Amino acid sequence: MNRILKFLMKYSQSILTLLYLFALTKHSSLVTADVYDDRLDVFEKEINAVAQPLSSVNGSFADILWDFRFGLEGWAKATSNEMNAFVTNEDGSMMIRLYEDSREKAFVSSPPIHFQTGERQAFVIRYKYVGSGIFGKLVLSGISDTGNITELKLNFPIEGNGLWHKGYVKLYVVEGGDFGNDKNLFPGILKQITIHPTISFKDGNKTQRGEFFQVDWIRLVRGPIIHSVTGCAGGIMYSKEKNFTSFELAVTMMSVPVTPLLMQYISNWKSLNLEYSTFKFARSFNCIRNGGEVLTITGVNFGTMIPPNVFIGNRRCSALKHDKAWPQSKLTCITPAMDFIEKAQVRIENGFLSMLMDSVPYFYYAVEPPPPVNVSITNIAARSLDISWASGGSLWQQTTVTGFLISWMPYHLCDAFTWQSSMVVGNITTTSIRNLMPHTKYIFSLQAITEDQRKIGTIELDRYGRRDMLEGALISDFSVNVTASTISYDIHFPSFNANLTLDYGAIDKRSSSGASGSHGEGHFGLSFAGDSTIENCNATSVCCDDLDEKGLCETNTFVCIPSFDIENFASSDHFRLRNGMILVENLGEGKLSFHHGISRCGRGLRIAGGSRNQAGASWYRRQLDVVEGFETRFTFEISNPSERCNNMNDVYSWCRS
């Protein structure tokens, strides 16, 4: 007997190896070689699909993996009476035949392990169950991060229809909604796993004879986590915080000159390399509703052997590709068209274990921008005016604006409230509205436009910033309405007198630099050169714009006198020099020399007198914009013709040329 014991102790390892090989040979003989190879290939694919995506930290196939291909792999070491179940390995699976009326007493335990749980840790089991149970229980035992012995119990639903199912138990919870942080439910070293196949039954039933719980494989794995979603041409937010409490926009507003007076603003977005930046999180907004943009998603645990499924809202992101350098943490795909959800969740599902997923609100399709604000009217003329405004909303909303729609109509048509005219301009803040009717009150309103920013830089604007609207544009609500009335004439001289030669500026004093450089029309006076002057204002005559009953100048009127009479006026009097003449306001008594004849100024503008060798010119003291045409009406008279006669038919004739 002692010899036998010594022999067994000496050669125990060799004997166990021979027994294992015998069992393997016996197990393999149950199936044909082709079938076994197919099954092995399936198992290998399953292992790679599950484990590789979820262990990007250490590069192993799985954090922990049992597939029971050649035995129970250390599970179910207790006796059948202790476990209230008979546990065997059948066809590469762990078969748990439950004792009748065992209820929650039935269990199986893993071999001792030593595993530090990580972020997004999950327990996954593939099982087949026949019975009336509706819940199983998972018990995790180990040592917490604080050094205490700890135990965590989690229930999971089961199906008793005899089909293969996957059961998932998350070892974490997300606190705080979409932007919440993960809380590890078992932070520490995991030492053992215990599974209770059934703990709750339908209608209070108990375990029946013949019930079994068959386990194909068990895995501790990690789910995907999304950190950033970038790629939309319309805008990207970067943040150090998952909830984007504070964020930055990597954008500059480019000022592109349309004319020397007009600038268009274009959002120039920059993509940051998150691997080398201080920002961990990023989300895209203002994405094209028709899809087709290349999206880049970064994070961890994405999986490669069986590609994950990526969804934007409820639609799949197509043409998925893993980054060659960072396959587990970076991928690209092409965005789908919007499915009625503007603020869409980006969801990544493990390609093999679909319940392992992450979903974040990091993707916004383009939406209607806020309406413009601070709308004002300036530079009013007879047939045109300038309108200015500012983009509404926050800075990141303003970066989505690509243009504006301006609408107007005569004020008396407001009851019908159908805009009679409109035009589209680029992303500018002022423009000129032309072809209006003189002496007409109008009502104006603006709307902001969001379009495909990839095409904006190629569109040319005219001198007023006008262009066509792009297809698929999103238009905001209307701004606050503003009103303005055009003036009757850009230039109007019904007659010429001393007063009308002066510069009074625009009729409507609201002015701005505008799109055309004009500052509103009105009355900007006349300039004189040479012998030009107001009729009846000359060296031998004094004229007044207004005469009293005695034929004398009114006290508060404009008087035109020769410049040599300047000594008769104190410096406090208001006078302006005009081509050797003086225009005086608020004439005091006794200021005029009595040898002067007094007449009314005007009503004509004299370019030159009737004396020989005279020439003169007069012009409006302001340049006018006539690029879109103009209309001018005036009357003239030729008086005091020459008295020189080259031919005299008789001496009594009155000679006129």
Side-chain angles (χ1 to χ4, degrees):
M1 186 67 178
N2 290 335
R3 291 180 179 179
I4 295 174
L5 291 174
K6 289 180 180 180
F7 175 82
L8 290 174
M9 291 177 65
K10 182 177 181 179
Y11 297 103
S12 59
Q13 185 66 39
S14 299
I15 294 171
L16 289 173
T17 302
L18 290 172
L19 291 173
Y20 175 79
L21 291 174
F22 174 78
L24 177 60
T25 303
K26 184 177 180 180
H27 178 81
S28 301
S29 65
L30 297 177
V31 293
T32 64
D34 291 338
V35 173
Y36 179 79
D37 289 342
D38 290 342
R39 185 178 178 192
L40 179 61
D41 184 61
V42 170
F43 275 118
E44 286 179 348
K45 286 182 178 179
E46 288 183 353
I47 292 171
N48 293 337
V50 174
Q52 197 168 5
L54 306 166
S55 56
S56 58
V57 175
N58 55 28
S60 63
F61 280 149
D63 289 334
I64 298 182
L65 165 65
W66 294 278
D67 60 13
F68 309 110
R69 291 173 60 183
F70 306 117
L72 295 179
E73 300 181 2
W75 281 77
K77 289 295 186 179
T79 66
S80 297
N81 288 336
E82 290 174 330
M83 296 185 295
N84 282 277
F86 183 69
V87 183
T88 59
N89 180 274
E90 296 185 13
D91 297 329
S93 64
M94 180 169 63
M95 176 63 76
I96 306 171
R97 301 187 185 278
L98 304 175
Y99 284 2
E100 185 177 358
D101 199 23
S102 61
R103 296 181 181 258
E104 68 276 2
K105 298 176 183 178
F107 72 91
V108 289
S109 295
S110 72
I113 56 178
H114 185 90
F115 172 68
Q116 176 70 55
T117 60
E119 192 177 21
R120 289 289 172 96
Q121 200 77 59
F123 169 89
V124 186
I125 181 172
R126 187 172 188 258
Y127 70 93
K128 181 193 294 183
Y129 171 56
V130 174
S132 59
I134 56 177
F135 280 101
K137 182 166 65 176
L138 176 69
V139 180
L140 305 178
S141 303
I143 301 174
S144 68
D145 287 340
T146 59
N148 298 320
I149 297 175
T150 185
E151 186 176 76
L152 176 66
K153 299 179 181 179
L154 298 170
N155 296 341
F156 60 94
I158 56 176
E159 298 284 344
N161 55 14
L163 302 177
W164 287 108
H165 298 279
K166 295 186 184 77
Y168 297 82
V169 183
K170 295 180 179 179
L171 307 187
Y172 65 93
V173 292
V174 179
E175 297 179 331
D178 290 333
F179 295 114
N181 296 314
D182 293 357
K183 178 183 178 182
N184 191 341
L185 298 179
F186 195 93
I189 303 297
L190 180 61
K191 290 294 187 178
Q192 191 173 46
I193 299 172
T194 299
I195 300 172
H196 295 264
T198 57
I199 62 168
S200 180
F201 299 86
K202 298 177 182 178
D203 302 324
N205 292 335
K206 59 184 180 179
T207 310
Q208 303 294 321
R209 182 186 299 272
E211 288 192 17
F212 67 87
F213 193 94
Q214 186 175 359
V215 180
D216 188 17
W217 47 254
I218 295 172
R219 287 169 172 77
L220 276 177
V221 293
R222 304 179 205 181
I225 302 174
I226 301 172
H227 292 156
S228 71
V229 179
T230 60
C232 291
I236 304 171
M237 290 182 182
Y238 295 93
S239 180
K240 299 178 182 179
E241 303 162 325
K242 186 176 182 180
N243 60 1
F244 287 82
T245 301
S246 61
F247 62 86
E248 291 188 18
L249 302 176
V251 62
T252 56
M253 297 301 291
M254 296 174 55
S255 299
V256 181
V258 180
T259 69
L261 298 171
L262 191 62
M263 290 287 179
Q264 178 175 216
Y265 303 97
I266 297 177
S267 299
N268 183 27
W269 292 95
K270 300 178 182 179
S271 295
L272 301 181
N273 191 334
L274 295 179
E275 284 92 357
Y276 303 101
S277 75
T278 59
F279 299 104
K280 182 177 181 180
F281 304 99
R283 62 182 178 184
S284 291
F285 64 96
N286 195 36
C287 301
I288 302 302
R289 288 191 172 192
N290 291 332
E293 296 182 281
V294 178
L295 208 62
T296 299
I297 304 174
T298 67
V300 293
N301 304 330
F302 286 170
T304 58
M305 297 301 294
I306 296 181
N309 298 313
V310 180
F311 297 88
I312 308 296
N314 296 319
R315 293 189 173 180
R316 188 183 297 271
C317 200
S318 61
L320 187 144
K321 294 181 180 179
H322 288 269
D323 185 85
K324 292 182 179 180
W326 307 88
Q328 293 285 2
S329 58
K330 188 175 183 179
L331 56 82
T332 61
C333 61
I334 297 177
T335 61
M338 189 180 77
D339 60 348
F340 307 106
I341 302 176
E342 294 173 345
K343 298 181 180 181
Q345 293 275 346
V346 178
R347 186 172 79 254
I348 292 185
E349 297 178 356
N350 183 278
F352 182 66
L353 302 173
S354 60
M355 290 298 290
L356 299 179
M357 68 173 73
D358 192 22
S359 181
V360 293
Y362 286 180
F363 185 92
Y364 295 171
Y365 282 105
V367 298
E368 294 81 2
V373 296
N374 302 331
V375 182
S376 62
I377 301 294
T378 56
N379 307 336
I380 296 176
R383 296 181 179 272
S384 66
L385 53 76
D386 287 352
I387 186 168
S388 303
W389 62 90
S391 293
S394 63
L395 174 61
W396 70 271
Q397 289 174 311
Q398 293 172 5
T399 62
T400 69
V401 175
T402 56
F404 298 90
L405 173 62
I406 307 172
S407 303
W408 66 91
M409 62 180 166
Y411 191 80
H412 67 273
L413 298 178
C414 284
D415 291 340
F417 216 84
T418 299
W419 297 106
Q420 302 294 308
S421 305
S422 64
M423 71 180 190
V424 174
V425 297
N427 191 15
I428 58 180
T429 56
T430 184
T431 188
S432 291
I433 298 178
R434 302 280 157 157
N435 299 318
L436 301 175
M437 295 298 296
H439 194 59
T440 303
K441 185 176 182 180
Y442 285 91
I443 183 170
F444 302 87
S445 192
L446 280 82
Q447 296 167 279
I449 301 172
T450 292
E451 300 159 296
D452 188 345
Q453 293 199 7
R454 298 172 297 180
K455 303 177 181 178
I456 292 301
T458 62
I459 303 176
E460 292 187 2
L461 309 182
D462 70 5
R463 69 192 303 263
Y464 301 117
R466 296 176 296 198
R467 65 170 174 83
D468 293 331
M469 188 185 301
L470 296 182
E471 183 179 357
L474 301 175
I475 304 175
S476 75
D477 293 333
F478 284 99
S479 67
V480 175
N481 296 336
V482 294
T483 60
S485 297
T486 55
I487 62 178
S488 299
Y489 303 97
D490 289 332
I491 302 175
H492 188 214
F493 285 91
S495 63
F496 294 90
N497 59 20
N499 185 24
L500 291 178
T501 66
L502 304 180
D503 183 354
Y504 287 99
I507 292 176
D508 191 302
K509 301 302 181 184
R510 294 172 291 178
S511 66
S512 66
S513 58
S516 62
S518 300
H519 292 276
E521 303 302 340
H523 194 90
F524 291 86
L526 294 175
S527 292
F528 296 89
D531 298 305
S532 62
T533 184
I534 298 296
E535 188 177 5
N536 297 325
C537 181
N538 51 58
T540 61
S541 171
V542 173
C543 68
C544 304
D545 285 350
D546 298 297
L547 299 175
D548 62 14
E549 297 175 351
K550 298 178 181 180
L552 300 177
C553 294
E554 292 278 6
T555 301
N556 296 317
T557 189
F558 282 87
V559 180
C560 178
I561 62 174
S563 59
F564 55 74
D565 265 356
I566 192 170
E567 67 273 7
N568 293 325
F569 297 90
S571 60
S572 60
D573 292 308
H574 303 287
F575 61 88
R576 299 179 177 91
L577 292 176
R578 285 287 186 274
N579 191 30
M581 309 301 292
I582 301 173
L583 297 180
V584 183
E585 300 177 66
N586 301 325
L587 181 67
E589 296 182 1
K591 293 293 182 71
L592 291 178
S593 299
F594 289 103
H595 67 276
H596 290 130
I598 299 176
S599 58
R600 190 184 301 274
C601 293
R603 111 177 234 265
L605 172 66
R606 176 166 287 178
I607 301 301
S611 303
R612 67 179 61 184
N613 299 324
Q614 289 198 357
S618 181
W619 59 89
Y620 191 55
R621 299 188 48 158
R622 168 181 168 80
Q623 293 183 350
L624 298 175
D625 185 358
V626 295
V627 69
E628 296 190 20
F630 65 96
E631 177 183 340
T632 302
R633 296 180 182 181
F634 63 93
T635 59
F636 67 94
E637 177 185 59
I638 299 177
S639 61
N640 297 334
S642 173
E643 296 183 0
R644 177 181 176 179
C645 297
N646 292 328
N647 298 303
M648 297 182 64
N649 293 328
D650 63 67
V651 295
Y652 298 105
S653 296
W654 190 11
C655 178
R656 290 289 184 269
S657 60

